[in-house]
Amino acid sequence: MNPARKMVYGFGGGGADGDASLRNLLGGKGANLAEMARLGLPVPPGFTITTEVCTWFVAHDGAFPEGLEAQVHEAVAALERQLGKRFGDEENPLLVSVRSGARVSMPGMMDTVLNLGLNDRTVEGLARAAGDRRFAFDAYRRFIAMYGDVVLEIGAETKTDHDPFDERLERLKRERGVQHDFELAAEDLERLVADYKQLVVERTGAPFPDDPWEQLWGAVRAVFRSWDNPRAKEYRRMYHIPDEWGTAVNVQAMVFGNLGEDCATGVAFTRDPATGEKRIFGEFLVNAQGEDVVAGIRTPQPISLAQAGGDASARPLEVVMPEAYAQLLEIAHRLEQHYKDMQDVEFTIERGTLYMLQTRAGKRTGLAAVVIATDMVDEGLIDPKTAVLRIEADAMEHLLAPIFSADELREAEKSGRLLARGLPAGPGAATGSVVFHADDAKRLAAEGRDVILVRNETSPEDVGGMKAARGVVTARGGMTSHAALVARQMGKPCVVGCSALEIDYKQALIRIGDRVVREGDPISIDGVTGRVFEGTMTPHPSEVVQALVEGTRDLASSDIARRYARLLEWADEFRRLGVRTNADTPEQSREAVALGAEGIGLCRTEHMFFEGNRVTSVRRMILADDEAGRRAALSELLPMQREDFKGIFRAMGGRPVTIRTLDPPLHEFLPHGEQEIDALAAELGVPRDTLAAKIESLAEANPMLGHRGCRLGNTYPEITEMQARAILEAACEVAAEGVAVHPEIMIPLVGHREELARQRAIVERVATQVFAEQGREVDYLVGTMIELPRAALTADEIAGEAEFFSYGTNDLTQTTFGLSRDDAGKFLPFYIETGILPADPFQTLDQEGVGQLLEIGVRKGRSTRPELKIGICGEHGGDPRSIEFAHRVGLDYVSCSPRRLPVARVAAAQAALREAQA
Amino acid sequence: MNPARKMVYGFGGGGADGDASLRNLLGGKGANLAEMARLGLPVPPGFTITTEVCTWFVAHDGAFPEGLEAQVHEAVAALERQLGKRFGDEENPLLVSVRSGARVSMPGMMDTVLNLGLNDRTVEGLARAAGDRRFAFDAYRRFIAMYGDVVLEIGAETKTDHDPFDERLERLKRERGVQHDFELAAEDLERLVADYKQLVVERTGAPFPDDPWEQLWGAVRAVFRSWDNPRAKEYRRMYHIPDEWGTAVNVQAMVFGNLGEDCATGVAFTRDPATGEKRIFGEFLVNAQGEDVVAGIRTPQPISLAQAGGDASARPLEVVMPEAYAQLLEIAHRLEQHYKDMQDVEFTIERGTLYMLQTRAGKRTGLAAVVIATDMVDEGLIDPKTAVLRIEADAMEHLLAPIFSADELREAEKSGRLLARGLPAGPGAATGSVVFHADDAKRLAAEGRDVILVRNETSPEDVGGMKAARGVVTARGGMTSHAALVARQMGKPCVVGCSALEIDYKQALIRIGDRVVREGDPISIDGVTGRVFEGTMTPHPSEVVQALVEGTRDLASSDIARRYARLLEWADEFRRLGVRTNADTPEQSREAVALGAEGIGLCRTEHMFFEGNRVTSVRRMILADDEAGRRAALSELLPMQREDFKGIFRAMGGRPVTIRTLDPPLHEFLPHGEQEIDALAAELGVPRDTLAAKIESLAEANPMLGHRGCRLGNTYPEITEMQARAILEAACEVAAEGVAVHPEIMIPLVGHREELARQRAIVERVATQVFAEQGREVDYLVGTMIELPRAALTADEIAGEAEFFSYGTNDLTQTTFGLSRDDAGKFLPFYIETGILPADPFQTLDQEGVGQLLEIGVRKGRSTRPELKIGICGEHGGDPRSIEFAHRVGLDYVSCSPRRLPVARVAAAQAALREAQA
């Protein structure tokens, strides 16, 4: 790096070298400190070492660039001039804090060292200057402990050990017979300091550094090093933060909240981060230093009287330091006006004077996000575009989940009712009796019982049971297992991958360590955090669901539902991408329409095959020896499928409905257990062995790559014929009712143009017949899923036969990676944890690989048919980052489960708005 | 079509409008007739309607283009002028033959109508002109029957019926009490004509067309129509002939081989098509018309005395018509000199005068192809390049297969010993006792018994048994099933997919309909044609194998082996592509070197895991609870693997050896049967239920997409460590013996650069250790299989970590198509039969889809690393069309099973030569 390059940016005293726009260079904390200084807010002066220095440091094995030392010396000298103190001065020493600060807030890195600059001599100066020897040694022992911990890395030696500094403090308190730190006298603390320094010698083989400059450089180095520690790296991986960003270091003159009863330190949000309410919210401690608030040793006090429920005995800041409180309110207001967002601030009050140590956009719940965004539009602070951009799209779904109250959850965990943790696969909360089999779930639910279906994993046979259950728990499987996918589409609370559960189906019980939960016992699951509890709890549908989905609450009566709807209206104005839903039933369709679906992007006909006793006809069809037998069974299914489609067409009221023809391999519809095979043999009147042999002959080594999709429709054209007939007859009949109908018949798993051509020919032939029979025509399209690499690569060919494409990104991800969703549990989590893969490709579209196929398919498909309609109907259709990609490559729509629709609408709007910004 | 365009090309009378270069326009037959006419050979005059007319006809629903009628009329008029006869003339009628003739010879189309132009009046003229009334009516009845069959499509009404014309002929013969057609008198034939015409009225509702022009246009139309009949379409699909080529129609003046004892008709090859010997070879009939030779009613006579074994009583042409024979010899010589290839000719002798009706390159066996090609080079007729281009590459493998004699096969089939037909998956012939289990195969083979392993399908566990067996039969699976792949690599006779076999493992027997073959019963399999016989037969290793592979015969003693070696030397001169082999053992490696391998392209380490009792260590490793347990088991495997590699390095003598690290999912190494699990539990000393549960937990829904390849090496780095150590220790030790060693370590199933980077780091770390321990370094490379679409799409990334790529086109085809090789049997044959797919993508590389990924991978890979070495090691590495593609996209080498090496060498040379030609 050029030594003349500016590596150090000063702030404080009513001005700063940098400002908020330099976030990339100064980190969030440094940029905002500079910005606050420029605004004239009371910020203790200091300086920021840039992220560029960190990047250079990492690239050069921990060396500092030439020129840095001089610039830091100059910045410290400026501080000294401004404050009239000197770094290392034995009379009136300048003390500083050292904090990391990356472009985005990032846990896992070295956080803070306070009181840096103290040693055996300066501590005496501090004691004199403050007129408080106890305070000075308290600061000194805190400094050694923090520095020892984060810079010298002196920690517990084994997992069961306590922190060694804490241990020594506790020992001293026991010796002195006191309970609290503040009961220790100055001489006690002095002894503790000596004790601490002895510990440092023992553990590092060197004395504690008493040169303030050595202390400062050690702390800077520790911050930079911590950029690459495992926790920080993992966090970056999870949140897709590039390694190259680096962190800045903020060095700032100390102010003290622990100089007496007119001192304090605290944190505050400018609005309530849980509810979004427009009032300051936070907590503080009198006579304390920053970390005391977090440490939880003393109970902090609320900021405002309102926050304390009007109870002045809670000693809110508003009551105990009304002037500082007024000043804080004023600053909070200025910060919001300036940043146009809710802020999360840190402050210290030294002898009655308020100092601001940090400001940043405050994290908030989904509920608060919606409230704050809409409020700020009404306040004229932001425009609707900013409001939409401000929402984390995923949060839109949180407002739809049924919920347990936070109190109840806390209580349950405290009383030892937590059974297992797993992955939060389906949102919301549910409670009910344990059942292990889908049939039991259906039977008991029919009797009005609330049940939770608990299985090692689920299969399509379990869909009915999952629907009947209040919630689903699996011991195996990941976020994209069958259980997770189906549950999310159903909006069903679901926790998957609870590996602590050992399910014994035979004895009908679950073992968790030495605890046992039996069939029929009540459990409760929290799909938001992925926890399973013993016993019953009380879930409630959210207000938004009551008002927008269930219609059990008047929209006018729900402030939050109105705000939610308003945000979605804005999003709809801004987005270009269409939004459809994956829905297989009229109920799902109605829910989806309520949540903004502009059509159905994927209706899976096979899910209907499990309804009621249809599966018997399906099985008869599968087991038929010849086409005639298959046709006979199919003719039983025809009227049922037709009614299904009529229900869906009516529910969708004129919106396009994409219906996929039969996709899964036929063996998925057959029973595998001994008893079930016996029962089916009896039902069908065929010898048991014949049936078992037939089932065996349909088994496949790799069903994912087997006889499924259009391969079924091509080998058994009569299946496609029946389905096309059911769709088109339903369309004609509903059209006759005066409802517009736009069926789009989608052929799955096409890899070669000719596969589609033949299926298309069948559909067209059936259409001609049906229209003649019904004396009525309806518009319909024939298109295909693009879910095989070959389909994307030959999209120009396939577009010759297809009026639309729908990317089945689940299967496309499986084939592009050669990765079975069902089996990935054995290594995919490890791959993601250890950074071999940057993210789970089933959750977030792999833009680098699978994305190339999307782009190729769009380009080639439109080269043949420029008007080709292209959507996405995999799980990625509801993932915000994937939606942004879909927008960017020019898709026409995304399709997702009903409850993801609000997410998709917001994400689509954000994609359009960000594109316009760029 | 422009009516002025030339649609009709005349020939005969010492000249022609066209010549042999117009094959695309005139078809093979027409072009060669023109060429022969130009050479002044005795060709009856005629004309050819071009293939363009056919294409137009097909595109216009069977209409003829404007202008055609006039050109045909003019051509017929020219014939009339030349021959002094008139079409439809009642005195001296011109009769013609009408034959189809496409660019390449193509069965399934309408073949021939002879004697066209006859009716009740012209027949009388013919009788008078020939001075033979019986001849004239014989010609007439033949004409009606042929025309009725192929133009009017009057055939048997049910499958069990006879041809209705034949039926009437037979009835007449019974009535007349005669046995042979020639015993019927003129008046009998006259009655037969009437009978035939009555049949035509009955079946078509219209009289037989007696206008010669109507006859002619009907025949032309029938030829064009037959281009699109199902058999012709299927043939085109099998041989990749475009539908657009179309067929020509040849109309030619009749000459008669049935005008008396000085007349004859026959076919001949200019050299022996079975052995390649340089002597004319063929058969003929005296006093007969063309179709009589084929019909097989009379036994034809040989052409030459030599062919008759010097037996003049066989009445060869050389003896009965010495002048015509001499003329035929002379013409055969001229044709070979002209075409510079062995010819297959048709001729007719009319009253002592020889007429040539067709010439074309003659089909020949692999043996004959080699003999003829080398002979012709020696004769100076062709150069080595042409010789190499002339060989059908696949034929090179046929000369390596052990064989049953043709006599024995014919005899076996005649005597009802044929049990089943299947797919010819492994070349050659084998005989032995039926066994059903790999262990039995090994045990009995060790006792010196010849066994045939018969299974529903095979798995890696069976490899040892397959090796021990003389041959393998499976009831299920296709040409790329496990059994087929392994058998082909072993060069083991194998018939797969014999669906007629019902194997009952429990009772240890096979049912074929109501026949039963028991364990221990002898069977014989012919892998060349895919047949399974009851009883023993006698296979012999071919001469080429004895001389080149086994070394049991001196090369000098085998003419054919020397010729074979010579052809391969030529091929090696011309090819650019390298040729490597897939080999897992020193024996295979030695065989491959003998057959020209320049290195190993794929050495599958897992096959070694099944040798001897190693599988116990493998299983111990898999079932270990922790890394320490795995390491202990791996340390048992290390010395064994090291010895394996040493053997291979020595056998390959300095050639590069690509070794793939462990690829299959671990559960493939575990037993699944109850008894085997019991036995293993006892052996490992673990509770049976624990073992069963562990095996169950390793099961996968889609093992092809599961925990395998580098996913194993990344989750269990100690496996890669052990294998890298075994490879590099072996390399150092063999290098110490003075043998050059070039190991190339190949990481399988990489989808993301990082997967390879981590494996590469392990290999490099181990290499540093091993080289330090051994005090010696060897050159080695680290590279990867490209077998997932994502790997090809991100080849630029991956090439950053890879020094070579090897396309695993088997798996790449599976993932690109989303098609499991193991399961494709349920629909892939149907897809190919019905033309949904043009070919089996596992046999012939899908250039359109998978090929795109190859091209993308080559382009992107070399963009990062221009010197990147790229090969192919899937089964396609031995497929000529795929090899041509590999050449075209710029790969460095192909790798195939040892016995396919000669095929690959020739195919690679052909690809280079064709490219140079183009």
Side-chain angles (χ1 to χ4, degrees), chain B residues 689-718:
Chain B
D689 287 354
T690 309
L691 178 61
K694 181 92 187 190
I695 291 174
E696 174 62 26
S697 78
L698 285 168
E700 293 185 306
N702 295 288
M704 163 67 209
L705 308 176
H707 193 187
R708 49 170 291 233
C710 70
R711 296 162 190 173
L712 290 172
N714 274 312
T715 46
Y716 306 121
E718 53 277 10

Side-chain angles (χ1 to χ4, degrees), chain A residues 123 126-137 186 258-260 351:
Chain A
V123 70
L126 179 65
R128 280 189 297 274
D132 186 342
R133 189 171 176 79
R134 189 197 172 284
F135 154 75
F137 276 92
N258 55 344
L259 271 171
R351 293 187 169 147

Side-chain angles (χ1 to χ4, degrees), chain A residues 697-708 710-711 714-715 749 751-752 754-755 758 788-791 793-794 797 814-820 822-823 826-827 830-831 834-838 846 848-850 852-853 856 860, chain B residues 697-708 710-711 714-715 749 751-752 754-755 758 788-791 793-794 797 814-820 822-823 826-827 830-831 834-838 846 848-850 852-853 856 860:
Chain A
S697 77
L698 285 169
E700 293 184 305
N702 294 289
M704 163 67 208
L705 309 177
H707 193 186
R708 50 170 289 233
C710 70
R711 298 164 188 172
N714 274 313
T715 46
L749 212 73
H752 191 285
E754 191 63 22
E755 289 178 288
R758 308 237 172 156
L788 297 174
R790 197 181 189 286
L793 292 165
T794 61
E797 285 286 314
Q814 295 198 82
T815 45
T816 305
F817 274 87
L819 189 58
S820 160
D822 297 324
D823 303 311
K826 295 201 172 78
F827 56 92
F830 171 83
Y831 264 35
T834 57
I836 294 178
L837 287 183
D846 161 49
E848 190 185 57
V850 179
Q852 275 191 59
L853 289 176
I856 290 171
K860 290 197 165 184
Chain B
S697 78
L698 285 168
E700 293 185 306
N702 295 288
M704 163 67 209
L705 308 176
H707 193 187
R708 49 170 291 233
C710 70
R711 296 162 190 173
N714 274 312
T715 46
L749 211 74
H752 191 285
E754 192 62 22
E755 290 177 289
R758 307 234 173 161
L788 297 175
R790 195 180 191 285
L793 291 165
T794 62
E797 285 285 316
Q814 294 197 80
T815 45
T816 306
F817 273 88
L819 189 58
S820 160
D822 297 323
D823 303 312
K826 296 201 170 79
F827 55 92
F830 172 83
Y831 264 35
T834 56
I836 294 178
L837 288 183
D846 162 49
E848 190 184 59
V850 178
Q852 275 191 59
L853 289 175
I856 290 170
K860 290 197 166 185

